[in-house]
Amino acid sequence: MKILIIEDEKVLANSVRLMLESRGFEAEAVYDGESGEQYAMLNIYDLIILDIMLPKQNGYQVAKHIRAAHNAVPILMLTAKSDIEDKVAGLNAGADYYLTKPFDARELLACVNALLRRQGSQVNELSFGNTRLDLESASLICEENSVRLSAREFEVMRILMVSGTNHVSKETLLTKVWGFDSNAVENHVEAYVSFLRKKLTSIGSDVRIEAVRRLGYHLECDETC
Ligand code: CA
């Protein structure tokens, strides 16, 4: 998850950046409206935290331009103003939510998570071959058969489905599913892949998790996927 912070108070911008990084997000900060807009247009961010009073171009203008470019990235607006008119103007300019300064880290994090969840809920299933992964119920579905996945099986399957025929290394799976700090080793990944293969077979799926030495795993299916 990559977050762009557009905020001219450098101390605040950097403390928000560090806080987000400590929670596992990737975050970048820029300090004026014009650079903010240029970065936002790269279309690589999952969320934008946008101040209103900014040099060169204010937050309302930045939000309007982002929306005018049909970019639907969630925008969390930061405002020192608590006037209702300012909040309405922010929402009208295309912000999804606003937070009044000063805010505390937990409040900001709760907003970030809520906006990202809302974004994620637009996609509620992934599919490959004749098989779907329901992201709400964590189930694999093939025609009328379905099977529930454990939390880790689900995470591994989700990453494989997103990558499809592209390789995902064991190392990537370890980091994304078990985290940097865990004691998990590559054997854990292999074990979970083997659970998933059994579950795929049990529902009559044509999806295969193929292993390629040194490259990792990718998906294949009988039909042209
Ligand atoms: Ca400012």
Side-chain angles (χ1 to χ4, degrees):
M1 287 291 176
K2 212 169 164 69
I3 299 179
L4 176 65
I5 304 154
I6 310 174
E7 163 64 76
D8 59 321
E9 289 168 53
K10 290 192 178 171
V11 175
L12 176 63
N14 290 320
S15 74
V16 168
R17 180 176 60 76
L18 291 173
M19 190 272 292
L20 291 169
E21 285 175 351
S22 75
R23 304 302 169 110
F25 294 102
E26 268 184 77
E28 272 178 288
V30 289
Y31 312 114
D32 69 79
E34 210 173 85
S35 334
E37 182 178 325
Q38 284 164 0
Y39 275 66
M41 294 302 181
L42 296 174
N43 237 328
I44 54 170
Y45 299 97
D46 299 293
L47 182 125
I48 293 176
I49 297 176
L50 177 63
D51 188 28
I52 293 179
M53 300 303 282
L54 289 165
K56 297 190 184 171
Q57 186 163 241
N58 70 36
Y60 300 133
Q61 292 169 304
V62 176
K64 274 188 188 150
H65 294 158
I66 291 173
R67 294 302 182 235
H70 304 290
N71 184 338
V73 61
I75 299 177
L76 172 59
M77 218 167 226
L78 298 182
T79 167
K81 305 170 168 185
S82 51
D83 287 352
I84 189 75
E85 286 81 9
D86 293 317
K87 291 174 177 169
V88 171
L91 296 173
N92 283 340
D96 296 279
Y97 203 79
Y98 57 82
L99 203 55
T100 308
K101 293 178 191 174
F103 49 83
D104 81 22
R106 282 167 306 180
E107 203 181 351
L108 176 68
L109 206 59
C111 288
V112 165
N113 283 325
L115 286 171
L116 289 174
R117 257 202 312 278
R118 201 191 290 173
Q119 175 83 343
S121 68
Q122 287 167 1
V123 178
N124 51 23
E125 67 173 39
L126 297 169
S127 66
F128 192 88
N130 63 0
T131 304
R132 292 176 289 137
L133 177 65
D134 185 313
L135 303 179
E136 297 270 305
S137 65
S139 305
L140 273 173
I141 304 159
C142 179
E143 289 158 16
E144 60 275 20
N145 304 319
S146 73
V147 62
R148 283 288 289 271
L149 302 182
S150 72
R152 289 239 157 92
E153 288 169 349
F154 171 70
E155 277 304 306
V156 172
M157 196 65 219
R158 191 177 61 80
I159 294 167
L160 290 172
M161 278 223 171
V162 168
S163 308
T165 52
N166 297 318
H167 295 288
V168 183
S169 71
K170 287 181 186 173
E171 211 172 27
T172 301
L173 287 168
L174 263 183
T175 312
K176 288 196 170 168
V177 179
W178 280 267
F180 281 112
D181 302 332
S182 93
N183 294 319
V185 290
E186 292 190 353
N187 284 349
H188 288 75
V189 179
E190 287 159 22
Y192 277 83
V193 165
S194 125
F195 299 153
L196 283 170
R197 283 177 174 144
K198 289 198 179 94
K199 289 194 171 177
L200 285 165
T201 307
S202 77
I203 56 167
S205 168
D206 66 353
V207 176
R208 295 186 308 274
I209 304 175
E210 297 287 332
V212 179
R213 241 178 102 89
R214 285 190 296 272
L215 290 176
Y217 299 102
H218 68 273
L219 298 183
E220 278 183 14
C221 67
D222 297 335
E223 302 295 316
T224 17
C225 302

